[in-house]
Amino acid sequence: MNARIEVSEDAAAALPLLAGCRAAVAASPAAADALAQRADGAVLVLGAAAARAVLAQPPAGDWVILLWLADGAVPPDLREPERIVGVLAPATGADAAHAMIRTALRMLQALAASRSERRFERVLEIGRALAAEKDLDTLLGMILTHARALSGADGASIYTRDRDGRLFFRLWQNASNTGTAEAQRALVGEYSIAGYVARSGEVVNIEDAYRIPASAPYRFNPASDHAIGYRTRSMLTVPLTNKADEVVGVLQLINRKDDPDARLAGPEDVERRVRPFDAQSLELALALAGQAGVALENTHLYAEIERLFEGFIRASVQAIEARDPTTAGHSFRVAAFTERLAVAVDRSGEPDLRALTFSREQLRELRYAALLHDFGKVGVREDVLVKAKKLKPAQLELLEQRFRYARLSVACQAYRQLLDVHQLAPLSAGEFAQRRAELERAVHAEHQRLDEYLHLVLRANEPSVLHADAPAALRELLAYRFPDGAATAPLLHDFEFGDLTVAKGSLSPAERVEIESHVSHTFQFLSLIPWTRDLAALPDIAYAHHEKLDGSGYPRGLTHDAIPVASRIMTIADIYDALTAPDRPYKRAVGPERALDILREEAEREKLDARLLKVFIDAGAWRPVSDADTGRYD
């Protein structure tokens, strides 16, 4: 170790004892404070007062102290500090002094090795932290922060490279300007320093950015300095490489300071405090760059996988919703409402909601669960899934044909009876005409009756709430029989009567059970997917989105705490969209205010979480969503 010896003014008498040491003797600083600032890898020969000052505010780097005490008496407060190697006095011989110096140098070497080990352990810790971060902007900020801390750099910038090889400026930090740029994406010139490093893969270490030789293959642009009133001097620019040794970005460190905590307020500070980036700084920067390059590449890959996966989910949802065009867009809107409410809950200051927080990963998990919450409809028969009326289209068509057949049968039977009478006892032309007129009036009356029955059927077939007198009129229709050859046939069958007398909606009890089974189908399907740890709860969240706090929901009748909070959030979003969606043929959409009133009523009946509903309303999470909100473009 090429250490130096610093001697304070009150210990200058020790100089003769230090003559001939392999460590160089440096000029003593004017005061202990200046000495502490300059000391780095030094043996400090200090008087008691200076030693106390240095120990109270230790300098950067590696250093040990030799006390100079004329009387040889060590004050009690200086007997224990580990950094004090020994005590020099006028009676100390040169051999003894040199032995102390050799001991001090060995101690400095041990300190340097220990510090180097600690720094690289820190690099490994940083590498682990970088590898765990999946958000690109957060990762870039972490790289800059850690790089400045390791190297003592005042400022730092980071650049990323796209698949086409173009380099973009992304983020910068500067301690003296307390500045941090917002994440951005500005194309960088090929002949900038960062552009050269990205192109060549070489490290560029510059002592003074304003004195770059004209023959250098890169240029420094002082525009940034002028813009923020700064002076860039030393620069260290290193490539960030991935596992394939491809340059994926560039890290640029600016102005290495002798005191990492010092602020460069002006050119004088830059001149006095800024040092070139030394070999150790380069070694640390390269070690960090290796970690950062791999982390950056992993983050890009993770983002690509995430985009691919989300694209697959969205495509799957659109494919499922294509089976039921009447609810197209529902899952995307529910996902948007759900995410809005979750974010609002996370930011809520309500006392009973402060414990409810959602990380970025949890929000993504909840969004995916909302997108896929109706995926199980793939297991529901399409004629049930898209059933808009109480009778299926084929059923209604068959019933209408039966009415037409009944009309014809009534008329045919009447005319057949007239012919039979005329054959048995021929009628005069006048009598025949009279009997025919009577018969046609009777047939017309019966046809009117059938028309009224058909109108009743069509009215009852609508999915609105059934009118009070409708079941009695339908029961009369159920008893009606029309002539069918030598026998009679019913105009309405029992199963049709059952469908038409459904009190609310369009589904029979059996069909409603089949529709409700989509929740179980969703859970079974989602449980087959090997979700990552941060998405492991997704099937359970989707499974409970139709449960109610009072146990009246389905499919398991869960209550209160058994229902995940994420599912309760999705339930509010799902019901709100179902009430306000304008594309449901089996019900009319209601306005936002009426929908919120209905939700309040459900909360008062302890079916929905009133706390979450309050946030949904107060935060405006119910406001209409657009394609930009859902990320859905048809």
Side-chain angles (χ1 to χ4, degrees):
M1 180 175 196
N2 187 20
R4 66 178 184 270
I5 299 177
E6 299 281 3
V7 185
S8 66
E9 290 179 344
D10 62 344
L15 284 174
L17 297 175
L18 306 178
C21 292
R22 288 193 300 171
V25 178
S28 61
D33 285 346
L35 175 61
Q37 291 172 1
R38 289 177 56 197
D40 184 10
V43 179
L44 309 178
V45 182
L46 305 174
R52 289 189 186 97
V54 170
L55 290 169
Q57 190 172 6
D62 302 320
W63 51 273
V64 293
I65 296 173
L66 277 173
L67 277 178
W68 171 261
L69 300 170
D71 57 3
V74 181
D77 61 328
L78 293 178
R79 289 175 183 170
E80 299 299 331
E82 295 179 358
R83 297 272 182 159
I84 297 179
V85 175
V87 180
L88 290 173
T92 305
D95 290 343
H98 294 175
M100 289 185 198
I101 290 296
R102 287 193 292 271
T103 300
L105 292 176
R106 285 196 297 270
M107 188 173 179
L108 281 177
Q109 289 173 337
L111 286 170
S114 175
R115 184 178 67 170
S116 179
E117 183 178 344
R118 289 195 305 272
R119 281 181 173 176
F120 280 101
E121 285 178 356
R122 178 63 178 148
V123 170
L124 292 176
E125 291 174 6
I126 292 170
R128 286 190 288 270
L130 297 181
E133 181 54 54
K134 301 298 186 295
D135 180 71
L136 178 59
D137 293 334
T138 303
L139 175 67
L140 297 179
M142 288 174 63
I143 293 172
L144 292 184
T145 299
H146 290 307
R148 290 196 304 111
L150 283 173
S151 65
D154 190 51
S157 300
I158 195 164
Y159 306 76
T160 61
R161 206 175 190 186
D162 66 9
R163 296 297 182 189
D164 296 326
R166 295 175 300 178
L167 189 68
F168 292 90
F169 170 72
R170 296 300 300 267
L171 199 68
W172 65 271
Q173 292 179 2
N174 189 290
S176 293
N177 286 69
T178 61
T180 301
E182 294 294 329
Q184 53 191 282
R185 193 175 160 83
L187 193 61
V188 176
E190 184 178 359
Y191 291 98
S192 66
I193 297 172
Y196 173 78
V197 170
R199 188 173 69 253
S200 66
E202 298 176 3
V203 173
V204 173
N205 192 352
I206 301 171
E207 289 193 17
D208 193 332
Y210 285 81
R211 295 180 180 177
I212 297 175
S215 59
Y218 44 78
R219 296 287 179 270
F220 171 70
N221 185 350
S224 297
D225 277 5
H226 298 329
I228 64 174
Y230 192 67
R231 167 66 162 94
T232 297
R233 189 173 184 181
S234 61
M235 296 180 70
L236 177 61
T237 309
V238 297
L240 306 179
T241 56
N242 60 16
K243 293 185 283 288
D245 205 30
E246 299 167 332
V247 177
V248 295
V250 171
L251 173 64
Q252 192 167 77
L253 303 175
I254 299 169
N255 286 348
R256 174 177 169 261
K257 298 181 290 189
D258 58 358
D259 179 1
D261 296 326
R263 182 173 179 269
L264 305 180
E268 298 81 7
D269 288 334
V270 172
E271 184 67 27
R272 185 164 57 93
R273 292 192 174 279
V274 172
R275 303 286 183 267
F277 287 92
D278 57 13
Q280 189 176 63
S281 298
L282 174 59
E283 191 176 7
L284 287 169
L286 288 174
L288 177 62
Q291 301 272 14
V294 173
L296 187 60
E297 177 76 355
N298 289 343
T299 302
H300 283 311
L301 292 174
Y302 183 84
E304 289 177 2
I305 292 171
E306 190 175 45
R307 284 194 296 271
L308 176 66
F309 185 62
E310 183 147 349
F312 170 76
I313 287 178
R314 291 179 177 277
S316 300
V317 171
Q318 284 189 291
I320 294 303
E321 289 191 341
R323 297 185 68 228
D324 182 9
T326 62
T327 61
H330 169 69
S331 294
F332 295 97
R333 292 192 300 271
V334 169
F337 286 132
T338 298
E339 189 168 13
R340 278 188 193 172
L341 177 52
V343 170
V345 168
D346 184 76
R347 297 173 180 173
S348 174
E350 295 293 326
D352 54 349
L353 292 178
R354 285 174 185 163
L356 293 181
T357 59
F358 292 90
S359 65
R360 176 180 177 273
E361 289 74 19
Q362 289 172 321
L363 286 175
R364 184 184 59 196
E365 179 182 61
L366 182 51
R367 183 174 72 253
Y368 286 171
L371 283 169
L372 295 168
H373 77 282
D374 278 345
F375 198 91
K377 287 182 177 179
V378 69
V380 178
R381 288 177 298 154
E382 192 164 350
D383 59 348
V384 174
L385 187 64
V386 301
K387 189 180 180 188
K389 310 286 186 179
K390 295 180 181 179
L391 296 176
K392 297 172 185 175
Q395 287 180 300
L396 181 60
E397 183 180 357
L398 185 62
L399 186 56
E400 288 175 331
Q401 288 179 351
R402 199 180 306 143
F403 268 89
R404 287 193 291 271
Y405 179 63
R407 288 172 64 92
L408 291 173
S409 295
V410 167
C412 287
Q413 184 186 53
Y415 286 118
R416 187 179 296 111
Q417 289 174 351
L418 177 60
L419 290 175
D420 289 344
V421 168
H422 184 64
Q423 286 177 349
L424 291 174
L427 301 173
S428 66
E431 290 174 332
F432 189 86
Q434 181 181 355
R435 293 288 294 274
R436 179 176 177 175
E438 293 172 354
L439 181 147
E440 287 178 345
R441 283 194 295 273
V443 168
H444 179 70
E446 195 63 19
H447 282 180
Q448 282 188 316
R449 184 183 181 190
L450 288 172
D451 289 344
E452 290 173 0
Y453 280 151
L454 180 59
H455 179 70
L456 173 64
V457 166
L458 295 177
R459 190 157 57 102
N461 191 40
E462 294 299 319
S464 57
V465 177
L466 195 65
H467 194 273
D469 61 356
L474 286 171
R475 193 167 295 281
E476 177 185 330
L477 173 57
L478 182 64
Y480 182 89
R481 303 183 73 84
F482 64 89
D484 185 17
T488 60
L491 194 58
L492 187 69
H493 293 293
D494 289 338
F495 69 89
E496 295 167 330
F497 174 80
D499 288 345
L500 290 170
T501 52
V502 169
K504 186 177 181 181
S506 63
L507 300 176
S508 68
E511 290 168 339
R512 185 162 294 282
V513 169
E514 184 174 355
I515 282 287
E516 290 178 356
S517 72
H518 83 275
V519 181
S520 297
H521 291 320
T522 294
F523 177 74
Q524 292 162 5
F525 170 78
L526 296 180
S527 296
L528 295 175
I529 299 175
W531 301 101
T532 55
R533 279 188 301 175
D534 53 354
L535 296 174
L538 192 153
D540 290 315
I541 294 172
Y543 198 15
H545 78 276
H546 274 297
E547 302 288 355
K548 301 292 179 63
L549 297 184
D550 64 351
S552 63
Y554 63 88
R556 293 171 290 169
L558 301 180
T559 61
H560 296 93
D561 293 341
I563 305 173
V565 172
S567 302
R568 299 186 213 174
I569 289 174
M570 195 195 308
T571 299
I572 292 172
D574 186 45
I575 295 175
Y576 178 77
D577 186 70
L579 289 170
T580 57
D583 49 9
R584 305 294 175 93
Y586 48 82
K587 72 167 187 63
R588 290 181 180 177
V590 300
E593 291 300 328
R594 176 56 186 149
L596 295 178
D597 286 341
I598 293 173
L599 290 173
R600 288 189 187 96
E601 292 167 6
E602 291 287 279
E604 289 172 0
R605 294 162 59 193
E606 296 189 353
K607 292 181 179 293
L608 302 178
D609 193 318
R611 304 171 306 161
L612 300 177
L613 178 60
K614 183 178 185 302
V615 175
F616 183 71
I617 296 171
D618 293 347
W622 51 271
R623 299 191 185 282
V625 298
S626 63
D627 284 344
D629 295 318
T630 63
R632 177 175 179 268
Y633 301 93
D634 296 330

